[in-house]
Amino acid sequence: MLPTPEVIADFNRIYEPAEDTFLLLDCLEEQKLFLNHILFDCKKKASPPLVMEIGTGSGVITSFIQNSIFPNQFAIYLTTDLNSYACETSLKTSELNLEKSGISRLNCVMDSVQCSLTSCVVNNSVDLLVFNPPYVPSANSEIPTINGQSNIDQDSGAWLDMALNGGDDGMIVTAKLLDNLHDILADNGVAYILFCARNKPDDVYKQMKERKLQVEKVIFRKCGWEELSVLRLWKRK
Ligand SMILES: C[S@@+](CC[C@H](N)C(=O)[O-])C[C@H]1O[C@@H](n2cnc3c(N)ncnc32)[C@H](O)[C@@H]1O
């Protein structure tokens, strides 16, 4: 089992890694050979691959990719979040764990942008995309924006709403990404997105197949009353 990166952060301001986070880490571990193959062996582009994590929270997933999935390969890493503290924390988590593991920083370039979803990148650019979205069904049916959210009051709980609340079916944020996913992925690019059962991942599976992506459910786990799964969506060349 590959080691989980260390995180030093104020969990009153960002999402603390939980079952969903760990499911994604296990999923990426299982996909390690596949990912190295499609991002590095098959890649004909002159530029290094772009690895993007949306809704990074503590940054533990990106740090895991750097340390354990591509420890010896050069890649460009970009994290995004609506929560500015999450963006800062993801950079610190990366630095802490690269230092601990002795992996050369020359192996990666990383930045973090406070923005919604993939709005900071151009189409056809992302080689690996990972998203553990706010997937819990909730009454709030508006996608949160960064307007007025950049200095979230720690006690207001707004950061937690942003981390968890997914509106109708818990899909309001994820659906927006899915609409754009084919465009944003590079040729042969691949995305891993987490769903709970109430997000109806089997419906998503069918819809995304119609949008010229190769879709596979790559991991499933029952976590108490919650059933979590990860879909791999691949813009296969
Ligand atoms: C369930 S938490 C996951 C955090 C972390 N990736 C993990 O797995 O532990 C969801 C994260 O998505 C962020 N988020 C919510 N809506 C977003 C959006 N439209 N664009 C970018 N990030 C968003 C939240 O602030 C939160 O950090």
Side-chain angles (χ1 to χ4, degrees):
M1 196 178 183
L2 298 171
T4 303
E6 188 182 348
V7 177
I8 300 173
D10 178 356
F11 294 119
N12 291 314
R13 298 171 70 190
I14 48 164
Y15 188 76
E16 184 166 2
E19 286 83 355
D20 44 7
T21 319
F22 300 127
L23 185 68
L24 267 166
L25 298 190
D26 291 345
C27 165
L28 292 166
E29 180 165 350
E30 285 181 17
Q31 296 284 307
K32 182 173 174 169
L33 280 180
F34 168 81
L35 286 171
N36 273 276
H37 182 64
I38 64 154
L39 262 74
F40 296 99
D41 301 344
C42 299
K43 201 161 159 66
K44 300 276 188 293
K45 274 209 289 194
S47 54
L50 175 61
V51 176
M52 181 166 193
E53 185 196 359
I54 307 172
T56 188
S58 64
V60 70
I61 293 177
T62 293
S63 180
F64 181 78
I65 297 172
Q66 292 172 338
N67 280 12
S68 295
I69 306 300
F70 305 136
N72 303 310
Q73 305 278 14
F74 182 80
I76 296 171
Y77 294 87
L78 186 60
T79 59
T80 70
D81 207 294
L82 291 176
N83 178 346
S84 61
Y85 180 66
C87 295
E88 277 168 41
T89 306
S90 73
L91 295 174
K92 287 188 183 143
T93 300
S94 163
E95 203 164 309
L96 171 71
N97 288 281
L98 285 175
E99 211 156 88
K100 270 182 58 179
S101 62
I103 291 175
S104 168
R105 280 174 212 206
L106 297 176
N107 271 3
C108 58
V109 167
M110 176 168 170
D111 210 344
S112 189
V113 180
Q114 185 191 19
C115 70
S116 183
L117 299 174
T118 56
S119 55
C120 61
V121 294
V122 296
N123 282 351
N124 247 316
S125 61
V126 180
D127 295 287
L128 169 59
L129 186 143
V130 183
F131 192 24
N132 178 10
Y135 58 79
V136 179
S138 62
N140 177 5
S141 59
E142 270 178 34
I143 295 191
T145 65
I146 44 176
N147 293 338
Q149 309 251 18
S150 49
N151 292 312
I152 295 169
D153 174 0
Q154 291 176 41
D155 300 324
S156 73
W159 68 269
L160 189 59
D161 288 346
M162 260 175 12
L164 296 177
N165 291 349
D168 281 348
D169 293 339
M171 281 295 287
I172 193 147
V173 178
T174 309
K176 193 154 186 237
L177 172 70
L178 292 174
D179 281 346
N180 204 20
L181 189 61
H182 188 276
D183 292 342
I184 217 74
L185 289 176
D187 290 344
N188 226 18
V190 64
Y192 293 85
I193 303 175
L194 184 132
F195 298 86
C196 73
R198 288 175 296 165
N199 302 153
K200 305 192 180 114
D202 293 340
D203 291 356
V204 175
Y205 179 97
K206 285 182 204 138
Q207 286 156 18
M208 297 311 286
K209 275 199 145 183
E210 286 161 16
R211 296 194 208 172
K212 298 189 188 140
L213 289 167
Q214 185 170 315
V215 195
E216 204 174 313
K217 188 185 281 186
V218 283
I219 201 164
F220 169 85
R221 188 170 293 162
K222 207 166 173 343
C223 303
W225 53 269
E226 212 155 38
E227 291 180 356
L228 302 178
S229 57
V230 176
L231 292 187
R232 182 179 81 185
L233 302 114
W234 182 14
K235 185 172 164 184
R236 192 174 188 173
K237 268 211 288 195

